[in-house]
Amino acid sequence: MATARFPGKSADVAAGNWSSPPGRLVCVNGTPWILYLLEECVDNVWEYCSVVIGLISMFCFLLSTLPQVYEAYRNGKGEEAMSFGFLFFLFSGDLTSFAGCYLTGQLPIQVITVVFYIFTDLILISQFLYYKIKNSSSRKSPVLKWLCFMWCGSASLVLLTLPKLIVDNSASLDTKSTSKSVEITGYVCGYLASVFYLSSRLPQLYKNFQRQSTEGTSYMLFALAMMGNGTYGLSVIVVLPALKGSKQTFIIKHLAWLIGSLGVIVLDFFVTAQFVMYRKNSSAKGSKLLSVPEVEPLLCEEVELSLL
């Protein structure tokens, strides 16, 4: 199983690259840095391209939330631009991805990556709640700022130690007795994550339509998400020629995450259209506001002349 944001490799591909001398597994003609970093044996160009494209997808998602964090900090009105439904569904999708990653015993780098996604989601949600409370209150309270810093600091400490605890705990699980139930649970989590990711765009689309504006929202959040989802789907398709097993079975195993990633791309095109349309509206409003100060002095002079 692969997480919804991070491409995994099917056992049909991975198993064929390992030889099994007595007592240990040996990767024959594998790429050293991929073997060290991802614990995957890659010995052909298709699998190599799949891994590289998959890493590009991962970094796109890792960076996607940072522009929005800066945009909300810059204008101080993050709660007006972002839909809480968007943040809630995004967070729920990452949680279900994390659950599937843990239950199916994925690679440590995948667990750490999903934990980082959850961390960035918590930052966005914390920002939203902070500006919601701050801007709705008539008095500025320094306690709110300190509570926010304490929350982010404690969450950072927990999330820094959580991956190691999870990886150590998952290593001790009896995979032979739970493999079938874990596989079913992993697929369920995959489809749930896809539903959550698809649902996340709808509240934001409605929020933009309601405001007739995308001001306060960073387009890089959606642009990087589109790049991440697109490269994820490409990484799954590129590996097909290297498969030694059934290609149909491979597609079925990755279908949940392909639906989630490619479906979100379609919805992000609608978000892109909103950015284009509402930018024209905002520029038109800006030009009208700029023309007002030029008219007012002329009107004042006419009034003065008439009085004389």
Side-chain angles (χ1 to χ4, degrees):
M1 191 201 77
T3 63
R5 291 190 181 183
F6 187 84
K9 184 183 289 185
S10 170
D12 299 333
V13 179
N17 300 339
W18 297 88
S19 63
S20 301
R24 64 194 183 99
L25 293 174
V26 177
C27 179
V28 180
N29 299 324
T31 306
W33 70 269
I34 296 177
L35 180 62
Y36 175 79
L37 182 63
L38 302 177
E39 299 178 11
E40 292 186 10
C41 188
V42 173
D43 63 351
N44 63 71
V45 66
W46 298 107
E47 295 174 20
Y48 185 86
C49 290
S50 176
V51 170
V52 171
I53 295 171
L55 289 174
I56 293 172
S57 171
M58 183 188 74
F59 283 114
C60 286
F61 282 119
L62 289 176
L63 297 175
S64 63
T65 55
L66 299 181
Q68 182 57 41
V69 170
Y70 172 74
E71 180 68 20
Y73 171 77
R74 187 180 65 83
N75 60 37
K77 296 180 179 179
E79 86 287 356
E80 294 182 4
M82 299 298 294
S83 167
F84 186 75
F86 168 73
L87 300 176
F88 173 76
F89 284 122
L90 191 65
F91 179 65
S92 301
D94 286 334
L95 276 181
T96 49
S97 290
F98 170 74
C101 205
Y102 171 69
L103 292 173
T104 53
Q106 294 299 298
L107 300 174
I109 189 172
Q110 290 177 267
V111 177
I112 295 170
T113 302
V114 178
V115 169
F116 186 86
Y117 294 151
I118 295 174
F119 177 62
T120 56
D121 292 340
L122 288 175
I123 290 177
L124 287 176
I125 293 173
S126 300
Q127 261 196 331
F128 179 92
L129 295 176
Y130 171 76
Y131 288 117
K132 185 77 172 177
I133 298 171
K134 178 184 176 182
N135 295 334
S136 62
S137 176
S138 58
R139 295 185 302 173
K140 293 184 178 180
S141 175
V143 177
L144 179 62
K145 185 177 292 186
W146 281 108
L147 285 174
C148 185
F149 283 132
M150 290 175 63
W151 156 248
C152 292
S154 58
S156 300
L157 291 175
V158 170
L159 291 171
L160 284 173
T161 57
L162 189 61
K164 180 173 175 56
L165 295 175
I166 291 169
V167 170
D168 292 342
N169 189 33
S170 62
S172 62
L173 292 175
D174 185 8
T175 56
K176 291 183 179 179
S177 61
T178 60
S179 58
K180 189 65 178 177
S181 61
V182 161
E183 185 178 7
I184 294 172
T185 305
Y187 287 131
V188 171
C189 289
Y191 280 103
L192 276 177
S194 298
V195 171
F196 283 133
Y197 287 135
L198 288 170
S199 302
S200 66
R201 284 351 187 231
L202 301 178
Q204 189 61 44
L205 284 167
Y206 178 73
K207 181 85 170 182
N208 295 340
F209 173 76
Q210 192 178 37
R211 297 170 60 229
Q212 292 291 298
S213 172
T214 55
E215 186 180 357
T217 308
S218 173
Y219 179 66
M220 289 302 296
L221 170 66
F222 301 97
L224 288 170
M226 290 173 71
M227 291 175 61
N229 283 312
T231 49
Y232 167 74
L234 184 60
S235 71
V236 174
I237 296 171
V238 161
V239 81
L240 287 175
L243 287 178
K244 296 177 174 61
S246 170
K247 292 179 174 59
Q248 184 178 0
T249 303
F250 178 83
I251 293 295
I252 291 173
K253 286 182 177 180
H254 290 80
L255 186 60
W257 295 275
L258 287 173
I259 291 173
S261 61
L262 299 179
V264 167
I265 289 177
V266 174
L267 292 176
D268 281 341
F269 274 116
F270 287 101
V271 177
T272 302
Q274 285 186 325
F275 270 89
V276 174
M277 288 190 304
Y278 298 146
R279 177 178 291 180
K280 292 179 180 179
N281 292 344
S282 61
S283 62
K285 289 179 182 178
S287 62
K288 288 181 180 179
L289 290 174
L290 288 174
S291 63
V292 170
E294 296 179 0
V295 175
E296 286 181 350
L298 294 175
L299 292 174
C300 293
E301 288 179 4
E302 290 178 358
V303 172
E304 289 178 358
L305 289 173
S306 63
L307 290 173
L308 291 174

